[in-house]
Amino acid sequence: MTHQNPSTKHTVEFEESSDNNNRPSKISKIEYDGEEEEEMKNQERKIQRYLMAIEYIGTRFFGSQKQLTDRTVVGVLEEAFCKFVGQPVSIICSSRTDAGVHALSNVCHVDIERISKRKPGQVLQPHEPAVVRRAVNHFLQKQHGDLMVIDVRCVPSDFHARYKAQERTYFYRLLSGPEPLSTLEKDRAWHVQEDLNLPAMQEACRVLVGHHDFSSFRATGCQAKSPIRSLDELSVVEVIQSPYFPSLMDRERQMKVTDDLHDCHSNSEAVIPLSSSARINEVQTTNEDVEFGKRRFHRCLVVTARARAFLYHQVRLLVGVLKAVGTGNLTVPDVERILNAKNVAAASPMAPACGLYLGKVKYDLPSS
């Protein structure tokens, strides 16, 4: 669309974006007459772009993307920023998450022009990142306390949270066992009452990792341009059950077990030392002798999916297939058949959102 004002010789042409994933509209042409251009230079606007890492429990959110009526991550975050800076802001997320999906570290960016509240119209120097984090968290805690800014950094104005992301890591928690799920675990994991065959699930991971046509793992109505993706890592390990997943201890143990498995595959004579998984199995055998007043543990399995451009619903479909392998409803050859079918109807039902966590978004950050 085009707006013209003959008196100012001002023409702006906007190219509408066909991408529904928050790709900003492109301004293809801007012309100003001499006076207006000089005025803009004299304003010396001090707009600062901030990159933020946020964590949230997705249970009360209807996803991350802003909606008109429902409570969303971006909507709540924009409201907190508006109270802080005194004017509306627009926040762009690196990755979408669906309703009920959690984040250990999702990343967003926001542009802020600091205007004096005592002297409206006076532009001040940008806030320090630590000030932004403390102030926004102050307003966020007045909500349900299920969203927090955990880190803030100043970045150049062309640094984009979504398009500069190099890879994303997702975790998925499965709790296996017939015991009722703990109240502390409600909406934090997928409770599978059957015992899960961990070695079979690990073998299925090796079929799926790599560069493939993942058409069978696309949700109905998926708008991604291509189903071809590179899945850099897909692994499943057993960790000690913790209501604070994934704690630093859990993640360190997971990396240790993964490294041991890689060493084992690269050297047929390598011996995996007694790891946390082995000790966990020992703990499970003593569950019947649990002291009064203490809950019996479930087996806790964590699936890790790491890729540049995998989508959250694709991870949930992958986990659905892995769970079916773990319960014996599918075999490893079945997984190969599903992958080669290249049909959205081929995969098992999608795993529920409650067990999925966006764990990390990786960037090549500019030096501060």
Side-chain angles (χ1 to χ4, degrees):
M1 57 184 170
T2 304
H3 305 279
Q4 286 189 320
N5 187 333
S7 62
T8 61
K9 299 179 182 178
H10 175 202
T11 301
V12 181
E13 296 181 359
F14 292 92
E15 179 184 335
E16 298 292 344
S17 172
S18 59
D19 188 346
N20 294 326
N21 293 323
N22 281 342
R23 184 186 295 273
S25 299
K26 300 175 182 177
I27 302 178
S28 58
K29 182 180 180 182
I30 300 180
E31 293 179 358
Y32 296 95
D33 65 4
E35 290 183 4
E36 190 170 358
E37 185 175 2
E38 187 65 25
E39 181 181 349
M40 288 192 65
K41 288 181 180 179
N42 291 337
Q43 286 180 353
E44 295 182 353
R45 300 178 65 188
K46 298 181 177 65
I47 298 178
Q48 177 62 59
R49 176 162 293 189
Y50 296 94
L51 195 68
M52 300 173 292
I54 59 174
E55 65 178 13
Y56 50 88
I57 297 298
T59 307
R60 290 194 178 101
F61 291 108
F62 287 83
S64 59
Q65 296 303 105
K66 189 173 181 180
Q67 300 178 24
L68 292 177
T69 56
D70 295 321
R71 183 175 186 260
T72 66
V73 172
V74 168
V76 170
L77 198 55
E78 287 185 352
E79 182 180 342
F81 263 95
C82 184
K83 291 178 179 178
F84 167 44
V85 301
Q87 55 186 327
V89 300
S90 179
I91 290 175
I92 305 297
C93 264
S94 69
S95 307
R96 290 186 177 188
T97 54
D98 207 354
V101 176
H102 318 295
L104 303 172
S105 182
N106 200 346
V107 179
C108 314
H109 76 248
V110 61
D111 293 331
I112 295 179
E113 183 179 29
R114 185 183 175 191
I115 304 296
S116 173
K117 294 181 180 179
R118 295 181 179 178
K119 298 180 180 180
Q122 181 181 1
V123 180
L124 305 176
Q125 290 294 327
H127 291 288
E128 290 296 320
V131 174
V132 175
R133 180 174 61 84
R134 288 196 301 268
V136 174
N137 280 335
H138 168 76
F139 293 109
L140 288 175
Q141 294 312 303
K142 295 179 180 296
Q143 294 275 339
H144 292 284
D146 49 4
L147 169 62
M148 178 178 286
V149 177
I150 58 177
D151 206 355
V152 180
R153 174 179 287 202
C154 294
V155 293
S157 59
D158 62 346
F159 192 94
H160 199 282
R162 179 185 169 201
Y163 301 125
K164 292 287 187 179
Q166 295 180 333
E167 67 178 23
R168 296 164 175 85
T169 301
Y170 289 91
F171 297 108
Y172 196 99
R173 297 181 73 219
L174 301 104
L175 296 181
S176 170
E179 288 288 323
L181 200 62
S182 166
T183 302
L184 298 176
E185 294 285 10
K186 180 177 171 57
D187 297 323
R188 307 291 179 88
W190 186 7
H191 181 206
V192 179
Q193 294 195 350
E194 303 97 323
D195 189 32
L196 292 173
N197 184 337
L198 179 58
M201 296 173 71
Q202 290 172 333
E203 188 177 352
C205 287
R206 289 191 283 273
V207 172
L208 294 166
V209 74
H211 190 70
H212 303 292
D213 183 331
F214 284 98
S215 293
S216 296
F217 296 91
R218 302 182 80 179
T220 303
C222 177
Q223 298 177 356
K225 294 180 179 180
S226 172
I228 298 176
R229 294 283 188 272
S230 290
L231 185 56
D232 299 319
E233 177 186 352
L234 184 65
S235 62
V236 54
V237 297
E238 185 171 0
V239 300
I240 293 176
Q241 182 182 347
S242 166
Y244 307 106
F245 173 83
S247 67
L248 179 60
M249 183 181 299
D250 286 337
R251 277 177 272 178
E252 287 177 347
R253 284 171 174 160
Q254 178 178 336
M255 289 187 289
K256 174 69 165 59
V257 173
T258 302
D259 290 342
D260 290 339
L261 289 173
H262 287 170
D263 291 341
C264 182
H265 292 317
S266 62
N267 182 358
S268 59
E269 296 181 358
V271 178
I272 299 179
L274 184 63
S275 63
S276 59
S277 295
R279 287 193 291 271
I280 290 167
N281 289 334
E282 291 178 0
V283 171
Q284 301 301 326
T285 61
T286 63
N287 252 352
E288 295 302 321
D289 303 322
V290 170
E291 178 183 342
F292 176 78
K294 290 189 176 181
R295 169 169 289 279
R296 290 171 172 82
F297 285 99
H298 293 85
R299 290 181 67 202
C300 182
L301 272 60
V302 178
V303 177
T304 300
R306 179 172 56 85
R308 179 180 179 87
F310 240 67
L311 304 177
Y312 57 87
H313 65 257
Q314 291 178 300
V315 177
R316 290 170 59 189
L317 283 164
L318 288 170
V319 172
V321 167
L322 293 177
K323 178 261 185 182
V325 171
T327 56
N329 293 323
L330 289 177
T331 65
V332 174
D334 289 331
V335 176
E336 295 176 342
R337 174 184 53 79
I338 291 171
L339 182 63
N340 295 329
K342 302 176 184 178
N343 189 326
V344 293
S348 297
M350 187 180 290
C354 60
L356 184 60
Y357 297 73
L358 174 56
K360 180 181 179 182
V361 185
K362 181 181 177 182
Y363 296 92
D364 182 13
L365 288 173
S367 56
S368 54

